[in-house]
Each structure stands twice: as C-alpha cells, then as structure tokens.
Amino acid sequence: MKRERLDKVLANMAIGTRKEVKALVKQRLIVVDGVVATDPGMHVIAEEQEILVDGEPLNFKRWVYVLLNKPPGVVSATEDNVHETVVDLLPYEWAIKVHPVGRLDIDTEGLLLLTNDGHLSHSLLSPKKKVDKEYFARIEGRVTERHVQEFAKGVELEDFTTLPAKLEIISSGETSEIRVTIMEGKFHQVKRMFAAFDLHVVYLQRIRMGPLHLDPSLAPGEYRELTEEELHMLQNVNK
Ligand code: URA
C-alpha cells in the first residue's frame, strides 16, 4: 500500500485544495490514528490509517468506477470550452479524478464507463483485447439481409476495413431499427459503416461494452458505481 502525503490524500478525496487542507491542519481539524496532525506533508497509508476530518471519518477509496448513461449533448471528455462534459454530470469528488474509457459522439447516448484506473481503461481500449461493443441504432432507410452479410465480412472505410461486425435487424422499413456489435472503436465507426451503404444513423445508443451492460434503471444522465461483479468481469475481460 502506498505511503502518500496527507494533503495529497485529502485533496484527492475532494476535502479541499492543498491550500485549504493546510488551513484545516492549522486549525487542528485533522486527526490521524488518534493524533492531531500538525504537518500537511506527513505521510500516511490512507487505506490503513484512520483519518478524521473535523471529527468525520474519511471514507478513503482509491479507485472509482462509474457507469453512466450518457445523455445526448455532452462530450466524452474531462474538459471542453464549449460543451458540458460527461464528468460535469458527476459529483465533484468523482469528477476531479475520473476519465471516460473511450468516447461516444456528442449525440450518442448510452453506456459510458468512467474511472481513475488507468490500467483497466488501457486494457479495455487495447485493440489487442478486442472488447466488443454493442449499439442500438435507428437508421434512415431500409436495412436488409445484404447489409447483414456485408457487415459480417467487415466494412471497408476510407482509413481501414473493420473486423467482421454482427448486424441484427429488429425492424426494417423507411426507418429501420438494428443492433450492431463491433470489435473496434474508431471515430464515428458505426455511423461510417452505415454511411458506406448510403444509410444514415439518426439515433445511436451504446448498450454493451464487453461484459458490461447498460443498466436499464439509469435514465439518461444518471450514473452509479459498478458492482463488484461487474468490475470483476471487466478486469478479466478476454484474458
Ligand atoms: N460509432 C459512432 O459512430 N459513434 C459513436 O459514438 C460510437 C460508435
């Protein structure tokens, strides 16, 4: 377990900035293992030691894993000069440390994982792991068996040819509803795959990433922490 500066631990738990934490120490409001802290730079093992902030125990958690049902209109980034970002939807103590695992377009909805666990996020995004992603989409135009077969062969785009993708038709007509599973996560990939057949995606929602499903009880904009089981499945994905 890691020994870290007390002020760093407290800032990371959103107790305040390092400067504010220093002031709390000066006011003798921080107690470590029953002893009033006098040095904001003292080293602690946050997982093991009891830290009280103004009498309240610090519920230290190093890793945060959040499942968000991304609404349309927000960008999958931690900062943006124009638009609201996905982290703006989260409580401050999570927002200051997590990043989105991959990106959904601004108009795409659905499952987005956010974490401060770089190792997990790297492994889920690694092309070698081939973590599949499933989307529900509404398409302007008629999606047919021919498209199912073309997707199964892989679709040639300007910059690459996709791996075989599984396309399932839910309904086909002037507007069609489909589910599609892809193995990569390239920029605008689903939209570009349909555009290759002159079909236009009018609604796109991610419903699954590897073993992790969108929770139907989460309305757009809502989030929750992963369960132990979900986390375990993600950590063991395609091992
Ligand atoms: N494919 C897209 O075109 N957009 C997304 O947001 C995700 C996959």
Side-chain angles (χ1 to χ4, degrees), residues 103-105 108 135 182 186 188-192 204:
R103 283 164 182 267
L104 292 177
D105 296 338
T108 302
Y135 295 84
I182 60 173
K186 294 271 167 62
H188 292 340
Q189 184 169 333
V190 172
K191 291 173 186 164
R192 290 198 289 149
L204 188 60

Side-chain angles (χ1 to χ4, degrees), residues 72-144:
V74 299
V75 293
S76 301
T78 51
E79 273 178 26
D80 192 88
N81 290 334
V82 181
H83 296 101
E84 197 181 11
T85 73
V86 286
V87 299
D88 293 332
L89 301 169
L90 304 179
Y92 178 71
E93 67 266 30
W94 291 349
I96 57 169
K97 48 184 160 195
V98 299
H99 61 268
V101 179
R103 283 164 182 267
L104 292 177
D105 296 338
I106 188 164
D107 56 345
T108 302
E109 301 185 19
L111 184 152
L112 188 67
L113 174 67
L114 296 112
T115 183
N116 59 343
D117 181 344
H119 180 74
L120 180 71
S121 112
H122 189 262
S123 124
L124 293 173
L125 295 175
S126 158
K128 271 191 248 143
K129 289 263 174 152
K130 295 197 176 60
V131 177
D132 59 347
K133 293 114 196 149
E134 187 174 352
Y135 295 84
F136 165 81
R138 218 162 275 128
I139 313 287
E140 215 170 65
R142 190 176 293 274
V143 179
T144 67

Side-chain angles (χ1 to χ4, degrees), residues 61 63-71 86 89-91 94 98 110-115 207-209 211-234:
K61 223 188 244 180
W63 307 117
V64 178
Y65 304 91
V66 183
L67 169 61
L68 168 73
N69 183 358
K70 178 191 171 299
V86 286
L89 301 169
L90 304 179
W94 291 349
V98 299
L111 184 152
L112 188 67
L113 174 67
L114 296 112
T115 183
I207 54 178
R208 185 174 62 80
M209 182 169 71
L212 186 64
H213 291 258
L214 177 62
D215 181 338
S217 73
L218 295 177
E222 289 185 344
Y223 51 81
R224 65 162 170 79
E225 283 191 90
L226 292 192
T227 64
E228 293 271 329
E229 196 191 341
E230 287 169 332
L231 177 58
H232 188 253
M233 286 191 301
L234 285 178

